[in-house]
């Protein structure tokens, strides 16, 4: 992807390993940003500082992010290893947990995200917070949300929403102690060739419906849509294998074939602290393997942020021009 770029990192497939000097500089910038007034992630003043500081990220990292945003490659994901974490409190266990304070890891996440576009939250999800905690929640084990710990079905993030994220960024603060939890990623670019022309045509027709979760108060769209759309040879995906319903039997068969094709190309990422995975939500689906939470303060803990490459497109759904999409 970036073979000719002035990288001072090791590039391996769709991953970059930051060199020590790059790590130190990213940590320094994240610490600087963490101290910027008012120290709160969702505040316009802090976000303006984050946008500025993001432009000062080391060339190696900015180059990788810029190239990824132009073309996320066959894998549809970029993994960055070696970002700062620092000392952590116990993993939160509350439902709807979010990070509002500009901690060092949350600042580093926003710095990387800002190099791709604008960070956005959704009013109907975790109170619109820009950085959310992905943690297992007691009593939610079986839920098909990121609070659960059963297998999380492959999905386009917020597939029901006309302004679903372009990118979903997941930043690991703490991995589960058994190392069982894996982020599963399946690229439609790798799967599409496994489908017949007839299946592709059916998938592109408005023969599917995806209902929003109740918390969105009917904001998404319940109109019929294609599970894939756009260029025949390189389509976008819009499907959630838990929430999307095929509207007739042959659409159901095409959706089953799509699922099988995606399963044939899936990659599983086992995070270490300081790893960031950025999923291109247009061309890749993601899910998570089952794991066993302990609720002992040492459970798996990710920060998550959503990115729009062109925030202007969602302006009508962002009250006051802010960062929260309704
Ligand atoms: O837990 C994970 O690895 C991913 C969960 C997920 O799909 C999300 O937070 O959007
Ligand atoms: Fe997700």
């Amino acid at each position: 992807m970036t073979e000719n770029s002035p990288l001072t990192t090791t590039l391996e497939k769709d991953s970059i390993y930051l060199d020590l000097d790059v790590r130190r500089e990213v940590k320094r910038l994240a610490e600087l940003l963490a101290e910027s007034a008012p120290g709160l992630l969702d505040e316009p003043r802090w976000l303006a500082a984050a946008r500025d500081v993001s432009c000062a990220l080391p060339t190696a990292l900015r180059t990788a992010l810029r190239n990824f945003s132009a073309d996320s490659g066959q894998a549809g994901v970029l993994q960055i290893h070696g970002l700062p974490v620092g000392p952590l409190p116990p993993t939160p266990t509350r439902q709807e947990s979010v990070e509002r304070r500009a901690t060092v890891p949350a600042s580093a996440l926003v710095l990387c995200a800002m190099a791709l576009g604008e960070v956005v939250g959704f009013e109907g999800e975790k109170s619109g917070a820009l950085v959310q905690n992905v943690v297992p929640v007691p009593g939610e084990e079986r839920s098909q949300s990121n609070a659960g710990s059963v297998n999380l079905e492959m999905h386009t993030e917020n597939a029901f929403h006309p302004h679903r994220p372009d990118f979903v960024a997941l930043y690991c603060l703490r991995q589960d102690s058994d190392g069982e939890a894996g982020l599963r990623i399946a690229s439609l670019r790798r799967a599409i060739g496994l489908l017949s022309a007839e299946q592709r045509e059916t998938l592109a027709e408005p023969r599917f419906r995806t209902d929003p979760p109740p918390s969105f108060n009917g904001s998404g769209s319940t109109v019929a849509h294609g599970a894939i759309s756009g260029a025949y040879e390189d389509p976008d995906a819009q499907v959630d294998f838990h929430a999307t319903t095929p509207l007739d039997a042959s659409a159901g068969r095409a959706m089953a074939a799509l699922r099988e094709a995606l399963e044939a190309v899936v990659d599983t990422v086992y995070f270490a602290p300081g790893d960031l995975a950025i999923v291109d939500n247009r061309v890749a689906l993601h899910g998570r393997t089952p794991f066993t939470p302990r609720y002992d303060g040492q459970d798996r803990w990710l920060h998550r942020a959503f990115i729009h490459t062109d925030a202007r497109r969602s302006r009508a759904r962002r009250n006051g021009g802010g960062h929260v999409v309704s």
Side-chain angles (χ1 to χ4, degrees):
M1 182 170 57
T2 43
E3 244 159 30
N4 302 318
S5 329
L7 288 178
T8 58
T9 54
T10 314
L11 189 65
E12 190 181 284
K13 287 197 212 156
D14 315 299
S15 296
I16 61 166
Y17 293 83
L18 305 182
D19 283 354
L20 198 57
D21 56 337
V22 176
R23 287 179 192 217
R24 285 203 186 110
E25 181 58 5
V26 176
K27 182 163 177 277
R28 189 186 73 79
L29 293 171
E31 285 169 354
L32 185 80
L33 180 59
E35 280 163 18
S36 286
L40 295 168
L41 301 171
D42 303 275
E43 291 291 326
R45 194 148 58 104
W46 188 87
L47 289 165
R51 202 174 292 111
D52 287 352
V53 178
S54 173
C55 297
L57 281 173
T59 311
L61 184 52
R62 257 188 310 127
T63 306
L65 289 164
R66 182 67 185 84
N67 284 323
F68 178 71
S69 101
D71 181 358
S72 63
Q74 285 298 301
V77 63
L78 175 66
Q79 292 179 59
I80 299 168
H81 306 272
L83 292 162
V85 176
L88 293 174
T91 299
T93 52
R94 266 173 306 116
Q95 181 75 285
E96 305 282 293
S97 165
V98 300
E99 186 58 81
R100 299 272 186 195
R101 290 164 312 128
T103 62
V104 168
S107 300
L109 169 59
V110 174
L111 284 177
C112 293
M114 284 278 191
L116 294 169
E118 284 301 300
V119 179
V120 292
F122 289 84
E123 196 176 284
E125 191 174 28
K126 306 201 185 195
S127 47
L130 298 187
V131 174
Q132 308 128 33
N133 290 320
V134 177
V135 292
V137 174
E140 293 297 311
E141 289 79 8
R142 307 208 64 77
S143 101
Q144 277 296 312
S145 77
N146 61 26
S149 36
V150 292
N151 178 62
L152 179 61
E153 297 276 14
M154 299 302 283
H155 56 280
T156 301
E157 193 67 32
N158 290 349
F160 64 91
H161 202 289
H163 300 297
R164 55 194 167 278
D166 294 320
F167 296 107
V168 177
L170 294 156
Y171 191 116
C172 179
L173 305 184
R174 196 173 263 145
Q175 177 56 308
D176 63 308
S177 34
D178 301 319
E180 291 173 347
L183 170 69
R184 305 182 76 233
I185 302 158
S187 164
L188 182 59
R189 286 177 162 167
R190 288 186 169 147
I192 195 70
L194 303 175
L195 297 167
S196 69
E198 192 191 336
Q199 287 163 341
R200 288 162 79 160
E201 274 157 32
T202 305
L203 288 166
E205 284 166 8
R207 290 162 72 172
F208 306 86
R209 217 187 58 213
T210 306
D211 291 324
S215 60
F216 275 81
N217 297 324
S219 58
S221 124
T222 48
V223 297
H225 61 87
I228 64 175
S229 63
Y232 181 81
E233 73 284 7
D234 181 17
D236 286 13
Q238 184 185 355
V239 62
D240 177 330
F241 288 97
H242 174 67
T244 302
T245 314
L247 299 178
D248 61 79
S250 87
R253 284 192 295 275
M255 193 167 142
L258 174 61
R259 182 188 194 124
E260 206 175 303
L262 289 164
E263 284 297 327
V265 301
V266 79
D267 265 336
T268 305
V269 172
Y270 295 93
F271 284 120
D275 288 352
L276 168 64
I278 305 172
V279 180
D280 184 339
N281 197 43
R282 287 103 26 124
V283 301
L285 280 79
H286 67 281
R288 195 209 50 243
T289 64
F291 67 105
T292 318
R294 301 204 175 142
Y295 309 125
D296 59 356
Q298 298 302 307
D299 276 319
R300 184 173 188 254
W301 182 4
L302 311 180
H303 276 343
R304 182 179 69 172
F306 298 139
I307 298 138
H308 277 169
T309 54
D310 177 2
R312 185 68 198 162
R313 278 195 251 126
S314 59
R315 178 61 184 87
R317 298 281 292 264
R318 286 183 296 104
N319 194 12
H323 284 72
V324 183
V325 183
S326 63

